[in-house]
Amino acid sequence: SYSCLFFQRDEDGSSVKSALSFDPTPDAQVLYKAMKGFGTDEQAIIDVLTKRSNAQRQQIARSFKEQFGKDLITSLQSELSGKFERLLVALMYPPFKYDAKELHDAVKGLGTSEGVIIEILASRTKVQIKEIIKAYKEEYGSNLEEDIKSDTTGYFEQILVCLLQVRTSLSPVTDVLKSQALYAAGEKIRGTDEIQFITVLCTRSATHLLRVFDEYQKLANKSLEDSIRSETHGSLEDAMLAIVKCTRNIHAYFAERLYHALKGAGTRDGTLIRVIVSRSEIDLNLIKAEFLKIAGKSLSTMIVVSSSFGVWALLSLFCGEELSPARS
């Protein structure tokens, strides 16, 4: 049986904790020795990086630089490959820089990865969005909003740009009026007023939106999600649904992302790594509970049986099991 690091039950929902009696100096030395000379001791790297919090990994990186004059991420990239490299490098990024990196790759890579952009922008708080924008500018020397504008079009571009702005909370007295506006925009008149949907979804607080959703259900006798599915399509539909799902239950949203990444033809490794790494110190245990409801089996079980994914990578992240990673 597996003794899982990432599958501990914690009241706060996080699944990775800071190591006790932590000293970055010997950890950095272990990593250096693991990558020195012929061959790489991958298990030694796993044992260090997956049993430390992100803040501790940043201290290890600084100690590695001070002791050996080398950048730890660059060293990992030169010694590792495939999904194993992608996972371990993801663990080394501070949270906001990691989100910025994923957005940059999604926008500037070969073809735009709309799903990645939607996932990050729809699920982060306004405070987090501000920090991501700042990290993006620092890392890549460009403006995130401008890069998104240059790579997307139409209402989809507008909803992403709107998500980058600060949300404001309005008085509860407007709940009914806003639900009526959405109903008129989407159901009552011919043709959907996408701007009305975008404005309400992107500029209201979560608490306010939940009340609007309830009022909309009473007015239209159907959920807002059903209306979005019937009135929009493509990336715009995906973005609107993501906002609604994150507002209703963000843990269920991420559980669904993981489920679809594991299910069907071809496992979406990027989604698995991004969601698990980015939520590991926030609410991964709560996401796992929602995953069990959706899939009828645990996240760890479904990862193990997903033959298309390098099982070794996430098992090494979750568990203290001795594994010999296969290259991919």
Side-chain angles (χ1 to χ4, degrees):
S1 64
Y2 296 110
S3 174
C4 291
L5 169 71
F6 263 42
F7 284 76
Q8 298 166 352
R9 175 62 59 187
D10 294 308
E11 287 182 6
D12 64 357
S14 64
S15 52
V16 169
K17 297 296 181 185
S18 298
L20 301 176
S21 305
F22 171 70
D23 183 353
T25 303
D27 280 353
Q29 291 168 356
V30 168
L31 292 176
Y32 180 74
K33 289 174 186 175
M35 293 184 281
K36 186 181 179 183
F38 182 76
T40 303
D41 186 349
E42 294 166 339
Q43 190 61 48
I45 298 172
I46 291 168
D47 289 342
V48 171
L49 297 185
T50 65
K51 294 178 176 62
R52 305 292 183 266
S53 68
N54 190 277
Q56 289 176 335
R57 291 184 211 117
Q58 304 315 311
Q59 293 182 56
I60 293 169
R62 285 192 289 273
S63 179
F64 191 89
K65 182 84 170 185
E66 289 166 2
Q67 292 186 73
F68 309 110
K70 295 182 177 182
D71 181 78
L72 181 52
I73 288 181
T74 303
S75 297
L76 289 169
Q77 288 172 329
S78 67
E79 293 293 326
L80 307 173
S81 63
K83 298 166 192 170
F84 188 54
E85 175 202 338
R86 186 169 184 174
L87 174 64
L88 272 294
V89 168
L91 287 173
M92 287 309 306
Y93 275 89
F96 300 128
K97 286 188 178 181
Y98 181 53
D99 280 346
K101 176 187 179 295
E102 289 291 290
L103 286 169
H104 186 261
D105 291 348
V107 173
K108 296 296 184 181
L110 194 62
T112 305
S113 300
E114 288 89 353
V116 176
I117 302 171
I118 292 167
E119 176 196 301
I120 293 174
L121 297 189
S123 64
R124 278 26 172 197
T125 66
K126 63 182 179 182
V127 174
Q128 290 169 335
I129 292 288
K130 283 182 181 178
E131 292 298 327
I132 292 166
I133 292 170
K134 181 182 174 185
Y136 191 95
K137 181 73 173 178
E138 289 173 354
E139 290 295 303
Y140 307 107
S142 58
N143 182 282
L144 176 57
E145 182 175 325
E146 292 304 316
D147 284 354
I148 285 176
K149 281 181 179 179
S150 67
D151 216 49
T152 56
T153 58
Y155 291 120
F156 181 55
E157 173 195 331
Q158 291 185 37
I159 198 168
L160 296 180
V161 170
C162 200
L163 284 170
L164 288 170
Q165 314 309 312
V166 176
R167 291 190 182 197
T168 56
S169 179
L170 300 186
S171 166
V173 75
T174 64
D175 295 345
V176 175
L177 293 177
K178 286 301 171 187
S179 64
Q180 289 172 344
L182 284 178
Y183 180 59
E187 293 289 324
K188 199 174 178 184
I189 58 176
R190 179 169 293 179
T192 304
D193 183 355
E194 286 89 349
I195 296 298
Q196 185 71 259
F197 269 87
I198 290 170
T199 301
V200 173
L201 290 176
C202 296
T203 61
R204 303 306 186 272
S205 69
T207 304
H208 180 82
L209 277 179
L210 286 172
R211 292 194 294 259
V212 172
F213 296 165
D214 288 342
E215 291 298 331
Y216 186 92
Q217 177 84 37
K218 295 173 188 174
L219 187 64
N221 202 28
K222 64 192 295 188
S223 71
L224 184 58
E225 292 96 313
D226 286 340
S227 290
I228 290 170
R229 291 187 186 100
S230 64
E231 297 294 328
T232 62
H233 58 85
S235 296
L236 177 62
E237 176 189 349
D238 293 340
M240 286 183 173
L241 288 175
I243 295 168
V244 176
K245 288 173 183 177
C246 287
T247 302
R248 288 195 190 277
N249 186 338
I250 195 168
H251 308 121
Y253 168 73
F254 281 116
E256 189 178 297
R257 290 283 292 170
L258 289 170
Y259 179 70
H260 289 303
L262 285 162
K263 193 172 179 286
T267 303
R268 296 178 179 89
D269 307 326
T271 300
L272 279 177
I273 292 171
R274 183 178 55 259
V275 172
I276 289 170
V277 169
S278 66
R279 309 308 293 190
S280 61
E281 295 182 47
I282 302 173
D283 54 4
L284 186 58
N285 280 332
L286 301 174
I287 292 167
K288 282 159 27 197
E290 293 293 337
F291 187 94
L292 186 60
K293 294 177 188 176
I294 293 170
K297 59 183 73 172
S298 71
L299 176 58
S300 57
T301 299
M302 200 150 171
I303 289 171
V304 170
V305 301
S306 177
S307 58
S308 62
F309 183 69
V311 173
W312 51 266
L314 283 177
L315 275 180
S316 68
L317 185 61
F318 295 147
C319 314
E321 191 76 5
E322 291 294 327
L323 299 170
S324 298
R327 286 293 183 189
S328 55

